[in-house]
Amino acid sequence: WLLVFHGWYVFSVLVVFWFTKRERLVVVLSVWVCFLFFFLQAEDGIRGRVRSRGLGDVYKRQVVFSTDTDNLVPNDTNRGNDILVHDRQTGETRRVSLGTGGQQDPFGDAYFPFISLSGRYILFESSFGQFVPGDINGHDDIFVHDQQTGQIVRVTSGVSVESDGEGVWGRMSADERLVSFTSYATNLVAGDDNELYDIFVRTFPNGPIERVSLGVGGVEANGHSTNSAISADGRYIAFHPETSNPVPREPTGVHAAFIAPPGTGSPPA
């Protein structure tokens, strides 16, 4: 019925514009061809109403992405954003942003997925409190889903205390030893008094947390530090500082990348 409906619609458009301005015909045809291609293209004849939010990531045969689509996996009824992983070899698509016992996030606020180099771990950001026990801080945190065990751990809170600010933009080193992230929390490390976004590194999965966005001698940054990236071996952390210490802002307003080896809080010599 869908093809018949759109077929008659296109035919009517052709008739109308054939007797008006022929140059419009090209535009109309182009628009409808693109629309029909999108509407009808999907695996097994089912339209994938994909509207991705946040970034996606790819590792070999696996594609991980964030979407509010409700028909890519069974029983997706939360009408919100979830983290899905698609296996390009088998064609299987699975949802990984599920809480204990397969509980859906009723708000659907899972974003910014990242997949580790081996493809085993998927990092994502969410404020859903049912991924791990005792999550009551109400803030965005970084969670790591283990595709081998199905277990989810939170890396943006301490072992015995929850973070008092959001944690975002998680990245994992290629050797899967360290996770870097941005956080507004003030209680992840001692002496965090600047009340700004800082860059932290955690030994995965539940090791110590340290702050790396510090000036020479451990001076706190006087501006936000965001968007970290971590080298393959975990030795270097790159991030964007909006500070005059440790790295001044460029005259053009472009934020210089600051690279700090964990444990030093200062640039490599």
Side-chain angles (χ1 to χ4, degrees), residues 245-268:
N245 72 329
V247 177
R249 181 181 296 222
E250 297 292 333
T252 59
V254 177
H255 301 161
F258 176 81
I259 302 177
T264 65
S266 59

Side-chain angles (χ1 to χ4, degrees), residues 16-231:
V16 171
F17 281 93
W18 181 262
F19 293 102
T20 55
K21 293 185 178 182
R22 294 187 181 181
E23 59 268 21
R24 294 182 183 176
L25 181 61
V26 177
V27 176
V28 172
L29 282 175
S30 299
V31 170
W32 274 101
V33 166
C34 291
F35 176 79
L36 287 173
F37 179 79
F38 167 78
F39 197 92
L40 298 176
Q41 180 184 2
E43 295 182 26
D44 302 324
I46 300 175
R47 179 169 68 99
R49 299 187 299 274
V50 177
R51 181 174 59 186
S52 295
R53 296 181 178 180
L55 301 178
D57 200 16
V58 179
Y59 172 70
K60 293 184 178 179
R61 57 186 277 183
Q62 297 185 90
V63 181
V64 60
F65 57 98
S66 172
T67 181
D68 64 0
T69 303
D70 61 5
N71 66 340
L72 295 180
V73 294
N75 305 315
D76 186 350
T77 58
N78 64 353
R79 303 181 65 85
N81 235 54
D82 294 301
I83 304 300
L84 277 63
V85 58
H86 176 78
D87 190 316
R88 295 188 296 164
Q89 181 172 317
T90 66
E92 179 189 17
T93 300
R94 296 181 296 105
R95 179 166 46 163
V96 300
S97 53
L98 291 173
T100 306
Q103 183 177 357
Q104 296 185 101
D105 177 359
F107 304 106
D109 66 344
Y111 300 98
F112 303 110
F114 175 89
I115 191 167
S116 66
L117 185 60
S118 71
R120 177 175 177 176
Y121 298 106
I122 295 175
L123 288 70
F124 62 93
E125 172 188 332
S126 178
S127 63
F128 186 39
Q130 298 301 316
F131 290 127
V132 296
D135 185 353
I136 58 174
N137 65 359
H139 296 297
D140 281 359
D141 285 300
I142 299 299
F143 298 91
V144 182
H145 173 84
D146 187 333
Q147 296 207 82
Q148 290 186 9
T149 67
Q151 182 184 15
I152 294 179
V153 299
R154 178 172 52 164
V155 295
T156 47
S157 279
V159 176
S160 59
V161 62
E162 281 204 293
S163 62
D164 59 2
E166 68 174 4
V168 297
W169 199 257
R171 291 295 183 264
M172 178 176 277
S173 59
D175 59 11
E176 300 175 345
R177 291 186 308 108
L178 300 173
V179 173
S180 67
F181 58 91
T182 301
S183 180
Y184 196 75
T186 62
N187 62 346
L188 295 181
V189 297
D192 188 347
D193 301 317
N194 63 356
E195 297 185 347
L196 297 166
Y197 284 102
D198 290 305
I199 303 300
F200 297 86
V201 175
R202 179 164 205 163
T203 301
F204 182 75
N206 55 6
I209 298 175
E210 68 171 282
R211 181 169 51 159
V212 298
S213 52
L214 297 171
V216 177
V219 177
E220 286 198 294
N222 58 11
H224 295 299
S225 297
T226 59
N227 300 343
S228 66
I230 188 167
S231 64

